Structures are given as structure tokens and as C-alpha cells.
């Protein structure tokens, strides 16, 4: 099939059994390889749905400037879709966002507006949102995408990610595991999959140091999961279990995934693998698990996959004021 644009290539990502990583005969872990979306991240789905639906509904017009607060590679998908749709995008980042992510957004045509990071991730997130509000007040043509509260984010995964998983697994699925950032992937997919598999258990993966589920704040070099204020999309009542993983466990998960399955995945995917290590021994057998692996690892050759181990200092390439 010949597509009309790269945006039409979003979705339809493959599923693969992780039988080498989890070889128990009565355990089947099926990974959804969201890193094979065009920008390398599952958030491409939400970016496409929010922008295209906004244009159809008239929320966005040809004169609109899109504005969003981003904390990493999620900005690439937004910049890609905005460029194909002919809309300017201002991405508000902070000084901890990797320089590679900033460069990709700029190459795709986005304007990058940088604020200083605070010691507390919640403070940093608030500064980005405050800057977004300043831009909205200064330019009446601007519109905030607001992925953490935009129902179209979860709807994108309800309509596509969950449907693709359900179509592939057929008549049985016991557990869904996904990392939480905006909440869109986990909540959107869970709602549809629970409708088809009523006994489904939903497992959220978060990082030690994240405050989304009430834990104490702490530092983490990757925005693998949620940091800062709880996204409006996130509904804790729809989650059966939360697993917090450390940086070391995340690194080990990425490396084991590469060594056993030859999948070069990023830290959110490594966190999911680490969470699977924790929960699989607790589940009844036989068990069938769908795990969303949302990101790719080629942007982490200098830390997660460095031969001598991850760097102990922040890479020189980080974006700064």
C-alpha cells in the first residue's frame, strides 16, 4: 500500500511474542512495538488524532499556531504531524530535555521555547505550562494541544492501539501493562480492552521519584513515566496495580530486551520490562499479557547502551538556556 504522507504511516505497529525474554511455557508476553511509529514513539497516535480531529472540527484552522508543553521525544510526533498539516508549532521545553529531541523538533519545523528547569519536576512542569499560557495570551491565533487533559489523546489509543491488540490476540487477554506519562495510552487502551476482556488486569508502570501515584519526588534522568502534576486523563480507579521501577532496573530491562529479543528500545520500554519481571511471578498460570513498548533506543546509545555503562553526569548535549 502506498501512503499519501508519513502521517498515514502512524499506527498498525506489529506485535511480537517475547518468548526469549520470558521463556516460561505457561507465560505469553505479547509486545506492541510502538517504537515503529514514524517518529519512534507511540505518542504519534495522539498527535495525529488531536491535530486531524481539531482541523475537522474547526478547533484548529489554517491560521492556528499549535502550542504544547513537551518534555522529550513526544514533541517529534507533534512536529511531524503539524508540518504535514501545514500548521506552525511552538514546543515549550525545559533545560533537561535532551538536545537531540530539541534538534529533531526544530528540523521538523517547530519553534522551540525553553524554560529553566527547577529542582522539583512538578515545578518544571508548571513553568512549561505557565510559558504556554503566556504564548496563548500573546497570540490570539494560538491553541494549546494540552495532551495531558485532551480526551482525544486517550481516544486515539481506544480507537487504534487497543483495537490492534484485540484483533491480534483473539479471544483471551489477561493483563495489560504500559508506562504512564500523559495517561492516554494506558487509559485509552484499557477502556476498550476491558470491554472485550472483562477480567483484564491493568498495570501502570511508573518511575521511582514520580509523584503521579503519591510517591515522594526524586530525580530521574529520563522522563520514562510521569513526573509533576497528575494528568487529568489519568484515572487511578481504572488501574489495578502500579509498579514503580528504578533507573537501574530500567537500564537492565532495556539491555535484556536487546540481548534476548534484538529489540533496541528506550527507557519507557525498559521500565515495562522491569515491571514485568516484578509482576509475572505473582500472576496465576497460564497467563497472557500485552505489554506496550512505546519508545526506541537509538537516542540512548550514550547512556543506556554505552559499553562502559550509563554516564554518571548529564551529557554535554543537553539543551540549555
Amino acid at each position: 500500500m502506498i501512503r499519501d504522507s508519513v502521517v498515514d504511516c502512524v499506527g498498525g505497529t506489529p506485535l511480537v511474542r517475547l518468548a526469549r525474554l520470558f521463556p516460561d511455557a505457561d507465560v505469553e508476553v505479547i509486545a506492541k512495538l510502538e517504537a515503529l511509529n514514524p517518529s519512534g514513539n507511540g505518542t504519534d497516535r495522539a498527535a495525529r488524532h488531536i491535530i486531524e480531529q481539531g482541523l475537522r472540527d474547526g478547533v484548529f484552522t489554517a491560521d492556528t499556531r499549535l502550542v504544547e508543553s513537551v518534555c522529550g521525544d513526544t514533541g517529534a510526533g507533534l512536529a511531524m504531524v503539524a508540518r504535514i498539516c501545514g500548521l506552525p508549532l511552538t514546543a515549550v521545553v525545559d533545560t533537561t530535555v535532551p538536545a537531540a529531541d530539541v534538534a529533531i523538533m526544530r528540523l521538523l519545523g517547530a519553534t522551540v521555547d525553553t524554560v529553566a528547569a527547577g529542582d522539583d519536576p512538578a515545578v518544571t512542569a508548571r513553568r512549561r505550562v505557565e510559558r504556554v499560557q503566556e504564548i496563548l495570551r500573546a497570540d490570539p491565533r494560538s491553541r494549546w494541544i494540552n495532551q495531558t487533559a485532551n480526551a482525544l489523546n486517550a481516544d486515539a489509543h481506544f480507537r487504534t492501539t487497543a483495537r490492534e491488540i484485540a484483533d491480534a490476540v483473539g479471544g483471551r487477554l489477561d493483563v495489560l501493562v504500559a508506562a504512564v506519562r500523559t495517561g492516554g495510552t494506558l487509559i485509552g487502551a484499557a477502556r476498550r480492552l476491558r470491554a472485550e476482556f472483562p477480567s483484564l488486569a491493568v498495570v501502570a508502570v511508573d518511575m521511582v521519584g514520580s509523584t503521579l501515584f503519591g510517591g515522594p519526588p526524586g530525580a530521574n534522568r529520563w522522563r520514562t513515566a510521569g513526573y509533576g502534576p497528575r494528568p487529568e486523563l489519568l484515572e487511578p480507579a481504572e488501574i489495578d496495580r502500579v509498579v514503580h521501577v528504578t533507573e537501574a532496573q530500567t537500564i537492565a530491562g532495556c539491555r535484556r530486551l536487546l540481548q534476548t529479543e534484538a529489540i533496541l528500545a528506550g527507557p519507557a520500554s525498559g521500565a515495562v520490562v522491569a515491571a514485568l519481571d516484578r509482576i509475572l511471578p505473582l500472576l496465576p498460570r497460564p497467563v497472557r499479557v500485552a505489554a506496550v513498548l512505546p519508545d526506541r533506543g537509538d537516542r540512548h546509545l550514550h547512556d543506556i547502551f554505552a559499553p562502559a555503562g550509563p554516564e554518571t553526569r548529564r551529557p554535554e548535549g543537553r539543551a540549555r538556556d
Side-chain angles (χ1 to χ4, degrees):
M1 179 183 294
I2 299 174
R3 310 287 184 177
D4 290 329
S5 78
V6 69
V7 172
D8 292 329
C9 300
V10 172
T13 56
L15 294 97
V16 60
R17 290 184 184 87
L18 302 183
R20 297 165 188 81
L21 183 57
F22 301 107
D24 292 356
D26 54 358
V27 172
E28 184 181 22
V29 177
I30 302 165
K32 185 70 166 150
L33 302 184
E34 288 295 273
L36 296 183
N37 279 295
S39 85
N41 198 289
T43 55
D44 286 5
R45 296 178 187 262
R48 178 184 185 183
H49 191 46
I50 290 170
I51 294 174
E52 290 185 343
Q53 191 64 45
L55 287 168
R56 284 191 290 268
D57 293 343
V59 176
F60 306 144
T61 71
D63 294 328
T64 296
R65 169 171 289 278
L66 303 174
V67 185
E68 182 61 309
S69 164
V70 298
C71 59
D73 53 10
T74 57
L78 289 169
M80 174 187 71
V81 179
R83 179 142 196 168
I84 291 298
C85 291
L87 299 177
L89 168 71
T90 295
V92 178
V93 305
D94 62 71
T95 47
T96 68
V97 173
D101 292 329
V102 172
I104 290 168
M105 285 184 265
R106 285 180 171 145
L107 286 170
L108 287 167
T111 298
V112 178
D113 194 310
T114 306
V115 302
D119 294 334
D120 184 338
V123 172
T124 302
R126 185 166 62 249
R127 287 177 180 174
R128 292 198 310 268
V129 171
E130 288 171 351
R131 180 57 185 147
V132 166
Q133 297 295 341
E134 290 175 358
I135 294 169
L136 296 175
R137 289 192 294 270
D139 184 355
R141 300 169 304 168
S142 60
R143 296 290 181 272
W144 187 15
I145 291 172
N146 196 10
Q147 286 191 80
T148 62
N150 194 323
L152 291 174
N153 180 349
D155 188 54
H157 297 283
F158 182 96
R159 291 171 177 264
T160 65
T161 312
R163 175 181 53 77
E164 293 165 20
I165 292 172
D167 288 349
V169 302
R172 182 184 168 206
L173 185 64
D174 302 307
V175 184
L176 171 68
V177 183
V180 176
R181 184 175 287 169
T182 66
T185 301
L186 182 68
I187 296 301
R191 286 173 179 167
R192 180 163 189 159
L193 290 172
R194 271 217 170 104
E196 302 203 27
F197 309 102
S199 62
L200 182 77
V202 175
V203 178
V205 181
D206 199 7
M207 293 297 297
V208 171
S210 167
T211 60
L212 289 192
F213 296 96
N220 187 278
R221 84 174 67 200
W222 306 294
R223 307 290 176 82
T224 308
Y227 275 83
R230 177 178 291 171
E232 292 181 42
L233 291 176
L234 188 61
E235 295 288 348
E238 299 186 44
I239 298 169
D240 297 296
R241 184 190 298 267
V242 178
V243 179
H244 286 88
V245 300
T246 65
E247 277 195 22
Q249 290 166 338
T250 296
I251 293 166
C254 288
R255 292 183 174 185
R256 287 178 54 229
L257 190 59
L258 180 63
Q259 291 161 1
T260 59
E261 301 286 354
I263 296 173
L264 182 64
S269 301
V272 168
V273 170
L276 287 166
D277 287 333
R278 298 259 298 279
I279 67 167
L280 287 178
L282 307 177
L283 299 176
R285 301 293 200 272
V287 64
R288 199 176 203 198
V289 180
V292 180
L293 303 185
D295 54 352
R296 67 190 192 194
D298 53 354
R299 297 173 191 169
H300 296 277
L301 300 180
H302 67 283
D303 47 30
I304 291 174
F305 299 104
E311 297 172 2
T312 57
R313 60 181 177 84
R314 178 172 293 171
E316 294 295 335
R318 293 283 189 182
R320 299 185 181 276
D321 284 335

